[in-house]
Structure formats: structure tokens, C-alpha cells
């Protein structure tokens, strides 16, 4: 089974990202980590290939410093990485990301593509659906379970009332969730092995694209401003005995017209 | 070129309109007035009638499209091509949809089919200079951004609880519409829909959430969380620690790798308020926390922080609520 996992290097949530004068995040200056939701996709891909044989390719569209972050994911056990990077992609919108990743996937061999549920740097969980659409692949989202067998894939898709059992032929694109299982920590052996694994880079022209079709110059959306949210009011701390504390809480909720 | 705005109404399990769709309709009506553009709704599904008639409680007009395929196929792929064709045919300018799982799937597909940009997880939408201005809360709420579309078209996904839905004084009308023919996307079969015990209304839509963390100490503790949630007519949320321990299903998890919520009230019981949890709930209008550790991080951003044992305080709140209700 050949699996491609879409993984995005994102600014570390626990850090403080730096902003450029135009309000965009300075990705070159912010420490990047593997998008947490993509780690579940990587873990699921590793489990599937460990059980049935095969290989896992990581695909990212990111700035040129991304291999550093991709090594962390390779250290979990992935076979290789492919990085699409090009100065023209700076300031891309999600539609560009979708088109670029779809073009890169056309040049890869796979039975299954796995993506994360969304990205922690402001993504809205829409890129994967767009990629499946452009590639004409069955799209199975919000998976709590992924079972490929006999050229088909079965997925438990989380629903508001439980889950739906979905079924489609391979190749297909599946969106992973945390319910698939905790990602592993890279072993020392894995970290060593990752050093020698290949991370191939592709420019836009390698994909048969140019800056008039995708990238910052043709972005469909524009950031017009950013600001810090209004500070919350000071915390009211209550240390009374339970019954008195409960009266505080209920008074507070009533004063704010919540009840 | 001025086209109309389209609101996609989502059908809830049970057949009614998802709450977020009423909110999206309210936002669309407001910006439609500002822009001088008409707004129409659309509900597509195996049985769209009830949701469409509810959607026109908020919009002057809605299409109801009967799509039998949606009954036993993954919905987004079944409806996206025809919907994209309708949008193009009617010369619509912008699409607004809830940022729910189905709404996101559909937005991604429509973006690819129409070649339109998407602005995601809007917490507010205005209208300026010929197009929508979209406010978003990003990086776990540390930053608010405003964005616009570069061209004449765009798709906006809207977070639940961005506004309070406002019904029209007089309901609009529903018209049964058939989608234009379009090349299909690969079908994904729904083999079975499984209902799980403990599953409830989507927590993203809840106006009040009572959430439990590791401090709740087990399924029995979640009984206390549930009781307080019921008393407040709210939904139950959880931290990853509680989900990992198997006390409550993942669908209830709030945070970086769970749901992002924006309720009027977030009442946290036995939750430390780690950054990965905070990013999922800090845009709640009011945060109340009960924690026996006065130094828990949630104390730094809660509006009201009760230092105490949740097993004593939560039942006391239930009792106080009942006493006042008489
Ligand atoms: C990549 C990544 C993604 C993550 N995603 C998420 C996510 O989506 N959502 C999420 O929630 N977490 C997430 N986490 C985990 C997060 O870092 C925290 O570990 C988690 O939120 C802690 O949950 P908690 O507050 O329930 O537990 P703890 O941090 O253990 O806090 C329990 C609290 O309960 C209090 N307490 C104990 N007993 C009582 C009592 N009887 N009465 C009152 N108070 C009591 C304690 O004082 C303590 O403050 C993620 C972590 C990583 C690394
Ligand atoms: N630049 C990117 N490189 C690789 N994968 C991406 C990229 N952007 C998005 N993805 C994938 O698409 C998923 C959804 O992203 P988003 O729509 O941005 O929330 C992510 O979890 C990734 O799996």
C-alpha cells in the first residue's frame, strides 16, 4: 500500500508567532512544528503500512526551511518527503494550496492519500476536499477508523449522533482525526534513519505551473488587517464554601443574562 | 457585476435546520441589506422540505432541492457538482455556509469546482467596497484578522454562535428547484449510520457548554457534568485528558485537535486550561471555572474562577439553580 500524507509545517501554538508589517505571519522566523492534526494522519499511515506493507510519502507545500520540520515527521517512520517550495508561493490562498498539492499528487503514485482535519494556523479544513475534487478521487472525511481491503477503503466518519460507515474504491482521499490514535514519539533509531531519508523538492515549474496560475500574485483572498483581541476583564476569584460559591456563580450568570 | 448571495442551509439529523444555518442566514441578510444585494437560501438533501421551510424563517426565499442520492451517499460529493452549476447559472456572487464538518467539505469542493477563494471560520462578516469583509480568530485566538476577496466571488464558512439568529417578521417562500446537470464526483457509499449512546447535539452549536477534565475523575464524574449541563440546557464538552481516558467520546473534545467552540457560557469543571485546550474555547463570551488548584492556568483567563472541589461546587450550583427556579 502506497500512502501519501499531506502534512503542513505550522507555527508552534505554544510559541509566539512573529508578524510581518502587512499582518501575515513571518513563517521564516517562527519555529515550525508538524501540524498536530497531520500527525494523526502520519500515525494512521504508519500503522497501515506496518500491517500490510508499503510506504509512506509525506507531501508538503511550505517555505524552503520546511525540511527541518519534515525530518521530525520522517523520524516517526515515513519513507520519504516531497516538498513543494517556490518563492512565488509566498502569500498563497487556500485555492492555490489546493491546486499546487493536487498538481504534485499527479506526479506521485499512491493507493491512499491521508490529510489532517484542519491546520492550527488558521486553516478551515477545506484543502483536502478541494484536492479530492480536482483529482476526481472519492473523499472520505473525519475518519475515526480506516480499513483498506481488496482495493476499497472503509471509513468510520464521525457524525453528530455517532458515526457513518463509508465505503469507496481506492485510490481515495481520507481525512484523519485524533480518534485514529495517538501519534508515536520518534525513536532514536528513527531520528538517525530520518537524516538519510530523501526529501525531494519541487518548484512550480517542476509541476508545470507558474505564478500566473497559483501563488501570492493571484491570491483569491487578501488580509486587510490584524489586531490583538480585546483583553478579557479581570478574573473574579471566589473562595467561598460550596453553597456560597454556587450563589456567586448563579448571580454572575444572571447578571450577564445567561440564565 | 452584482450577483446575489447564497446561504447553504444544512439539514440536522432529524430533518430540521441546523442552528448554525439560521445564524448564517441572519448574517447574510445583514450584509445583503448593506450591499443592496438579494439573498437566497438553498437546502439540498433526500428530504429538504422541513429544513427549507425553517430557513425561510430567516430569509425571504429558499430553494428546496430533493436529492435522493444524499440518503445513502456522503453528502458533499453528491451535491457539490449540481450546486456549483446552479451557482454559475444564476450568476451568484458569494456563498455562505456554516463551518460544520459537512459545510467545510462542501466549501472545499465548491472552491475547487468554481475556482473561488474561501475565507474560513468567520466570527463576523461585514460588507465594504463591493465585497464581504470577514473577521477571523486565528492562532488559537491570539490574533483577530480581517480579510476580503480579491475578486468578485468567494465562499465564507461561518463559525457557530457568531451571531444570535434573528427570524424575519414574516417567513419567506420555498421553491422546489432541480439542480442543473453536471459531471458527477466519485460517489462514496454510506453503508450504515450508527448511533452511539451519549452522542448529542453538536457541541459547536451549543449556546452553553459545561465541560469536564481530568479532575472529573471518571464516567461517574461526567454524570455530575451532565446534570449541570441539563440544568442549564447546555451540552457537555471535555478535554483531551478526559477523552483519552475513555470517559467520553472524542466528538465532545474541545481544543486544538478537537472542536473550536464559541458559546455564550463555558463552564469548566476540573480543567487546568492548557494552551491546547484554551485555543478551542477562549472566544467563549463568558468563562466560569471550578478548580481546586488556585494556580491552574484557566484562572488567568476565566471571568469567574471558583477555587474549590467540583464534586461539592457543581451539585451546589445545580441546587441553587433549582431553588431559584422554584
Ligand atoms: C498536539 C497536542 C494537541 C492537544 N489537543 C488538545 C485538545 O484538542 N484539547 C485538549 O483539551 N487538550 C489537548 N491537548 C492536551 C493538553 O495539553 C492538556 O494535556 C489537556 O488539555 C489537559 O486536560 P485537563 O485540563 O483535563 O487535565 P489536567 O491538566 O490534568 O487538569 C486537571 C485539573 O483538574 C483539577 N482538579 C482535579 N481534581 C479536582 C476537583 N476534585 N475539583 C476541582 N478541580 C480538580 C486540577 O487542579 C487540574 O487543574 C493537546 C496536547 C498536544 C500535545
Ligand atoms: N501547505 C500544505 N502542505 C501540505 N498539506 C497541507 C497544506 N495545507 C493543507 N494541507 C493538508 O490539508 C489539511 C487541511 O488543511 P486546511 O484546509 O488548511 O485546514 C491539513 O491538515 C493538511 O493535511
Amino acid at each position: 500500500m502506497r500512502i501519501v500524507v499531506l502534512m503542513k509545517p505550522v507555527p508552534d501554538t505554544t510559541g509566539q508567532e512573529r508578524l510581518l508589517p502587512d499582518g501575515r505571519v513571518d513563517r521564516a522566523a517562527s519555529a515550525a512544528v508538524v501540524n498536530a492534526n497531520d500527525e494523526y494522519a502520519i500515525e494512521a499511515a504508519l500503522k497501515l503500512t506496518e500491517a500490510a506493507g508499503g510506504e509512506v510519502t509525506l507531501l508538503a507545500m511550505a517555505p524552503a526551511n520546511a525540511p527541518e520540520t519534515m525530518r521530525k515527521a520522517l523520524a516517526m517512520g515515513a519513507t520519504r518527503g516531497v516538498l513543494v517550495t517556490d518563492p512565488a508561493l509566498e502569500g498563497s490562498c487556500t485555492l492555490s494550496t489546493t491546486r499546487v498539492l493536487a498538481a504534485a499528487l499527479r506526479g506521485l503514485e499512491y493507493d491512499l492519500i491521508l490529510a489532517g482535519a484542519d491546520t492550527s494556523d488558521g486553516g478551515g479544513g477545506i484543502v483536502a476536499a478541494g484536492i479530492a475534487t480536482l483529482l476526481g478521487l472519492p473523499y472520505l472525511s473525519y475518519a475515526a477508523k480506516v480499513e483498506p481491503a481488496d482495493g476499497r477503503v472503509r471509513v468510520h466518519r464521525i457524525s453528530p449522533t455517532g458515526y457513518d460507515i463509508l465505503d469507496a474504491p481506492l485510490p481515495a482521499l481520507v481525512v484523519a482525526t485524533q480518534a485514529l490514535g495517538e501519534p508515536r514519539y520518534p525513536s532514536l533509531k528513527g531520528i538517525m534513519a530520518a537524516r538519510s531519508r530523501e526529501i525531494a523538492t519541487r518548484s512550480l515549474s517542476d509541476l508545470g505551473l507558474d505564478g500566473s496560475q497559483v501563488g501570492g500574485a493571484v491570491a483569491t483572498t487578501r488580509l486587510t488587517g490584524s489586531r490583538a483581541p480585546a483583553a478579557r476583564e479581570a478574573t473574579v476569584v471566589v473562595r467561598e464554601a460550596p453553597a456560597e460559591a454556587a450563589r456567586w456563580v448563579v448571580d454572575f450568570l444572571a447578571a450577564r443574562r445567561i440564565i | 457585476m452584482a450577483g446575489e448571495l447564497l446561504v447553504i442551509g444544512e439539514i440536522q439529523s432529524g430533518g430540521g435546520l441546523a442552528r448554525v444555518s439560521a445564524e448564517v442566514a441572519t448574517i447574510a441578510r445583514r450584509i445583503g441589506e448593506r450591499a443592496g444585494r438579494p439573498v437566497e437560501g438553498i437546502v439540498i438533501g433526500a428530504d429538504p422540505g422541513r429544513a427549507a421551510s425553517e430557513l425561510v424563517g430567516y430569509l425571504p426565499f429558499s430553494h428546496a432541492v430533493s436529492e435522493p442520492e444524499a440518503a445513502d451517499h456522503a453528502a458533499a460529493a453528491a451535491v457539490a457538482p449540481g450546486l456549483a452549476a446552479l451557482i454559475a447559472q444564476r450568476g451568484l456572487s458569494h456563498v455562505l455556509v456554516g463551518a460544520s464538518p459537512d459545510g467545510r467539505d462542501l466549501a472545499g469542493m465548491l472552491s475547487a469546482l468554481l475556482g473561488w477563494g474561501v475565507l474560513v471560520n468567520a466570527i463576523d462578516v461585514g460588507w465594504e467596497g463591493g465585497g464581504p469583509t470577514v473577521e477571523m480568530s486565528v492562532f488559537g485566538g491570539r490574533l483577530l484578522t480581517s480579510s476580503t476577496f480579491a475578486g468578485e466571488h468567494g465562499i465564507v464558512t461561518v463559525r457557530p454562535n457568531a451571531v444570535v439568529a434573528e427570524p424575519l417578521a414574516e417567513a419567506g417562500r420555498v421553491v422546489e428547484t432541480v439542480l442543473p446537470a453536471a459531471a458527477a464526483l466519485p460517489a462514496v457509499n454510506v453503508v450504515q449510520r450508527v448511533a452511539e449512546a451519549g452522542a448529542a447535539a453538536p457541541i459547536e452549536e451549543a449556546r452553553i457548554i459545561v465541560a469536564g477534565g481530568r479532575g472529573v475523575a471518571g464516567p461517574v464524574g461526567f454524570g455530575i457534568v451532565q446534570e449541570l449541563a441539563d440544568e442549564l440546557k447546555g451540552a457537555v464538552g471535555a478535554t483531551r485528558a478526559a477523552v483519552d481516558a475513555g470517559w467520553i467520546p472524542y466528538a465532545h473534545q474541545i481544543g486544538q485537535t478537537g472542536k473550536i467552540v464559541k458559546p455564550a457560557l463555558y463552564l469548566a469543571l476540573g480543567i487546568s486550561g492548557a494552551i491546547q485546550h484554551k485555543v478551542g474555547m477562549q472566544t467563549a463570551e463568558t468563562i466560569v471555572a471550578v478548580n481546586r488548584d488556585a494556580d491552574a492556568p484557566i484562572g488567568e483567563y476565566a471571568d469567574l474562577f471558583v477555587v474549590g472541589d467540583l464534586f461539592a461546587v457543581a451539585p451546589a450550583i445545580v441546587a441553587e439553580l433549582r431553588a431559584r427556579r422554584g
Side-chain angles (χ1 to χ4, degrees), chain B:
Chain B
M1 194 191 73
E4 296 183 23
L5 313 177
L6 182 72
V7 173
I8 300 175
E10 200 180 315
I11 308 175
Q12 244 174 1
S13 59
L17 184 72
R19 229 191 70 189
V20 66
S21 300
E23 295 163 2
V24 176
T26 301
I27 288 180
R29 228 168 65 212
R30 278 187 205 159
I31 63 171
E33 272 164 32
R34 181 102 49 90
R37 295 190 187 196
V39 181
E40 59 188 51
I42 192 164
V43 178
I44 313 176
D47 199 359
R50 211 179 105 207
S53 68
E54 287 177 23
L55 185 56
V56 294
Y58 303 89
L59 290 178
F61 171 75
S62 178
H63 304 274
V65 180
S66 171
E67 178 50 76
E69 287 277 297
D72 52 1
H73 292 88
V79 309
L83 180 55
L86 181 92
I87 290 165
Q89 190 186 63
R90 293 181 65 82
L92 305 181
S93 69
H94 296 89
V95 175
L96 292 95
V97 65
S100 61
D102 285 343
R104 290 163 151 214
D105 285 353
L106 199 50
M109 289 182 179
L110 289 176
S111 167
L113 290 167
L114 293 163
W116 291 7
V118 192
L119 291 168
V120 296
N121 299 334
I123 54 169
D124 196 12
V125 187
W127 186 276
E128 237 171 79
T133 53
V134 178
E135 304 290 311
M136 295 175 266
S137 159
V138 298
F139 295 116
R142 282 207 297 277
L143 203 61
L144 295 175
T145 62
S146 315
S147 300
T148 58
F149 293 104
E152 306 271 328
H153 298 292
I155 300 163
V156 183
T157 69
V158 182
R159 278 236 170 103
N161 289 325
V163 295
V164 175
E166 280 169 20
L168 289 168
E170 199 179 318
R173 77 201 155 86
V174 175
V175 170
E176 283 176 28
T177 300
V178 177
L179 296 179
L185 289 171
V188 171
N189 303 318
V190 178
V191 180
Q192 200 189 334
R193 296 193 197 272
V194 180
E196 272 184 327
I203 52 169
E204 301 99 303
E205 295 203 352
R207 216 180 68 81
I208 293 178
I209 294 176
V210 181
R214 204 194 305 273
V216 160
V220 178
F222 265 97
I224 294 177
V225 179
Q226 182 75 59
E227 199 183 358
L228 181 49
D230 289 345
E231 198 58 37
L232 289 165
K233 297 191 185 61
V236 172
T239 66
R240 175 159 156 191
V243 171
D244 282 349
W247 302 339
I248 185 163
Y250 169 60
H252 295 262
Q253 182 178 315
I254 290 160
Q256 190 187 334
T257 52
K259 306 264 167 65
I260 310 258
V261 297
K262 190 183 173 295
L265 170 65
Y266 193 85
L267 206 163
L269 301 173
I271 292 175
S272 64
I275 178 77
Q276 293 92 350
H277 187 71
K278 183 182 176 191
V279 300
M281 44 66 81
Q282 70 174 333
T283 55
E285 278 162 46
T286 295
I287 299 172
V288 175
V290 180
N291 196 308
R292 64 180 178 197
D293 175 6
D295 295 325
I298 200 162
E300 285 158 29
Y301 56 92
D303 298 292
L304 185 70
F305 184 50
V306 178
V307 181
D309 185 345
L310 75 92
F311 293 98
V313 177
I317 300 172
V318 170
E320 182 66 24
L321 286 166
R322 286 191 184 144
R324 293 206 195 180
R325 211 155 280 155

